[in-house]
Amino acid sequence: MGADELLTTDPSRAIAALRDGHLVVLPTETVYGLGARADDVRAVARVYAVKGRPADHPLIVHLPHGAPLRPWAAGVPAYAQRLADEFWPGPLTLVLPRGGACGQHVTGGADTVALRVPDHPLTLAVLDGLAEGVAAPSANRFGRVSPTTAAHVVAELGSRLNPGRDVILDGGPCRVGVESTIVDATGAAPRLLRPGAVSDAQIAEAGGVALNRAASRVRAPGTLPSHYAPRARVHVIEVDDLARLVASCSSSETPTAGLLALAEIATPEGVVRLSAPPTVDVFAAVLYASLREADALGLDHVLAVAPRASAEGRKHGLAEAIRDRLTRAAHG
Ligand code: TXA
Ligand code: MG
């Protein structure tokens, strides 16, 4: 009873559960998502209830690879189609004018819809077999850290799911580790709503249109200043500030602070090393697990040295995404 009954590695069990109106936690390349059939009003309502998510926060619809965008989106600018062709399946979400296939129960009442084709073999098999859109936010409780393993999902939502009906599809640790890049594609030029692995430079290049840097009229309510937060207090710091912060955070003999920084940065005495990723890619992949680890260890502080956006050329998108998530985790 419990977690064992929820967990499976069999996509056909997930397809059957979705068909029957139950919830399925899906692995993606970014983070795990809590999914319901997009056309199932009651199941989508349960997604909001299980997550504790406000009703006006829209969900991303995950589509089978190769599915036409037209019924989901009322209009698809040429640059948006080029982005879909280039990056799907992959960590890019396009916000488009809402089409007839998508009810407002998925979009929090908005007249736009967010679409993406995730890049994970198990979830692609589910979407293909179901031949339907699946509405899925990240599979964490509202405001908390996104899960990147099935064990994280069990810890977050296990007690809120129904064993024997709902399913957690275990696809191993998520490869990318931070949520998809979100692009507002409702205007003449793309605008960045949330940084992710696909960088703004890649969007401009593949879309063939320069990004519009003006603030978007489209609201992305989940991108609140405070989000992705562990219990421990997160401090986003530069390497030069490390010694001073270690001194101010560690008052007692037992360390109360954890360090999250690239491997090239040494661990000062008095802090717990949460992880030492050798590259920006690995930093993103271990980011959320490291924040969870800080809470599991009962630490009061996380000192995070975010890698520089220009650190590794094409890794620019991930470096920006890491800084974005850490800044939100640090807020408030
Ligand atoms: O990588 C990801 O995008 C993951 C995986 C599971 O696909 N999903 C994810 O979903 O991060 P969620 O719900 O945690 O974040 C989706 C963000 C929210 O900030 C939401 O406000 C925004 O996308 N969003 C969704 N639909 C939108 C819309 N129609 N217009 C503007 N923003 C939208
Ligand atoms: Mg989320």
Side-chain angles (χ1 to χ4, degrees), residues 26-34 51 53 56-62 90-96 98 106-108 110-116 118 136-140 146 178-182 184 186 193-194 218-224 227-228 325:
L26 294 165
T28 83
E29 80 282 31
T30 58
V31 302
Y32 277 75
L34 173 64
K51 238 187 106 81
R53 185 179 183 125
D56 65 342
H57 284 208
L59 307 181
I60 296 173
V61 177
H62 297 70
L92 175 75
T93 295
L94 296 174
V95 174
L96 292 159
R98 186 172 60 84
V106 170
T107 67
D111 55 7
T112 55
V113 60
L115 301 174
R116 124 173 165 89
S138 53
N140 51 282
S146 298
V178 293
E179 301 81 354
S180 59
T181 304
I182 304 182
D184 169 4
T186 60
L193 293 177
R194 179 175 73 183
V218 166
R219 286 180 326 126
T223 54
L224 295 169
H227 218 67
Y228 314 103
R325 305 309 190 274

Side-chain angles (χ1 to χ4, degrees), residues 262-327:
L262 284 170
E264 66 202 31
I265 295 165
T267 315
E269 205 152 325
V271 294
V272 177
R273 188 68 184 233
L274 292 168
S275 51
T279 62
V280 175
D281 281 0
V282 178
F283 199 123
V286 302
L287 172 63
Y288 290 144
S290 303
L291 296 180
R292 281 173 192 279
E293 174 74 0
D295 282 350
L297 294 171
L299 299 176
D300 296 327
H301 303 276
V302 173
L303 307 179
V305 185
R308 294 195 180 283
S310 57
E312 293 172 39
R314 71 168 194 87
K315 310 274 170 57
H316 175 104
L318 275 180
E320 200 190 330
I322 291 166
R323 188 171 288 273
D324 172 79
R325 305 309 190 274
L326 282 171
T327 305

Side-chain angles (χ1 to χ4, degrees), residues 27-125:
T28 83
E29 80 282 31
T30 58
V31 302
Y32 277 75
L34 173 64
R37 262 175 64 154
D39 62 351
D40 186 332
V41 177
R42 281 181 50 193
V44 171
R46 252 195 87 215
V47 168
Y48 281 88
V50 165
K51 238 187 106 81
R53 185 179 183 125
D56 65 342
H57 284 208
L59 307 181
I60 296 173
V61 177
H62 297 70
L63 296 178
H65 187 33
L69 298 186
R70 239 2 183 119
W72 294 96
V76 183
Y79 73 81
Q81 189 61 57
R82 285 194 288 271
L83 293 175
D85 293 343
E86 175 74 19
F87 295 112
W88 287 353
L92 175 75
T93 295
L94 296 174
V95 174
L96 292 159
R98 186 172 60 84
C102 185
Q104 281 186 318
H105 60 285
V106 170
T107 67
D111 55 7
T112 55
V113 60
L115 301 174
R116 124 173 165 89
V117 179
D119 187 15
H120 190 290
L122 294 185
T123 293
L124 285 169

Side-chain angles (χ1 to χ4, degrees), residues 129-148:
L130 191 69
E132 268 297 335
V134 170
S138 53
N140 51 282
R141 281 169 293 143
F142 180 63
R144 313 277 317 174
V145 178
S146 298
T148 53

